[in-house]
Amino acid sequence: MRKNFDLDEHPEVKESIKRGVEIPLLAHREPDGTITVIDGQVRALAAIELKVARVPVWVTPAPQVDRAEREIRRTSTQINVNDHRIALTDGDRAAGMARMFDFGASLTRISQEIGQRREQVKLAVTVGRSETACAAVDAHQLDFEQAAVLAVYENAGDTDAVARLLAAPRSMFAHHVKRIAAERDESRDRFRESLPYAAEGFGVHSTDPTEDDSFIAADLLRTSDGEPIDIARIHATPTLWSIYCQPTEVEVLLDRDTGEVVDPDSIDPATKPKPNAVAVEGLRHADTVESGYLWAPEYYLRADRLDESGFQYASDFTQTEPQPEQVPETPGSGHVCPVQLELRPNHSRSIARNPLYRSGFGCS
């Protein structure tokens, strides 16, 4: 089970093996006739490296239990036995505990057999599932708590997060973790908000395409008459366009489960902050909502479809563009609500089409 073992770090073992292996290895004979070493891994590795032709091995029949139970017993024995010889590295121990857990051993059982607290075992199992995290622990680059965070990202396939965390100074590790988590939360929200547009036929950007010459922002284009392109015309030919969703500064209340915009008047004020309170009929509990922001799409035309679209660059027109009409200030709001933003029809968080927003809700 050793993965981070360097035989050169133990010259006394190599010298001993050169003189011959005296203590027999313990092994099981499998039903298919193969031999599995269960005790003496270091001696076996040293003998192979030194090209020792013969070593003594005590072979017994493999126990008649299922494979998972055998692996749990074997790994537990190796961890305990090796701790009294050439100790396993912290990474190897973590990997061993993860192996036991994956074969069905409970955290409680591992804790009892290895002699560590359950909380430590739980952390070790997380770390042990990532070779990068185990190596970082063994190199004293990260502690177990930090390595566990890295392991979660590696097992999720997030190589960017892993690279950033490995490069982060330990003193700044927590800061980088929070920053990455916030970025991933925004990416998930962006993905969710983009799905309805994708269903309509729009291309979807996961990163800002502003600097990509393959796409032209809609506000840089005009119709053949020199007029700005309205939303309805864009939605009439979605395959010519792509969108990049961005959170606006319009704060609203959202359903925790669905993300739907919630009217604050639909919340029973007596339920806040009382998690066990029951909302009156027709109203909802305050715990079912959370603060959030409306999202708006930025539209981009594929540059290779410009001629086909019939649109032209705004710079091709010499006339002065009319100034947008100012929206009257909502009484008591202190500023102008940006209701000129338009989102796709039927979107749960649409600004221009949302009656709550049109009535001034969400402006601050």
Side-chain angles (χ1 to χ4, degrees), residues 13 130 166 176:
V13 175
S130 163
L166 285 175
H176 284 274

Side-chain angles (χ1 to χ4, degrees), residues 275-307:
N276 296 324
V278 177
V280 300
E281 185 176 357
L283 297 180
R284 60 191 299 157
H285 198 288
D287 284 354
T288 64
V289 300
E290 61 185 357
S291 296
Y293 294 89
L294 292 179
W295 286 66
E298 297 172 353
Y299 294 95
Y300 293 85
L301 180 71
R302 288 175 47 180
D304 61 352
R305 308 291 289 274
L306 178 60
D307 292 340

Side-chain angles (χ1 to χ4, degrees), residues 32-52:
D32 62 1
T34 58
I35 304 297
T36 302
V37 175
I38 61 172
D39 182 25
Q41 186 180 23
V42 171
R43 282 167 284 160
L45 291 173
I48 292 172
E49 180 174 324
L50 298 172
K51 296 181 172 56
V52 176

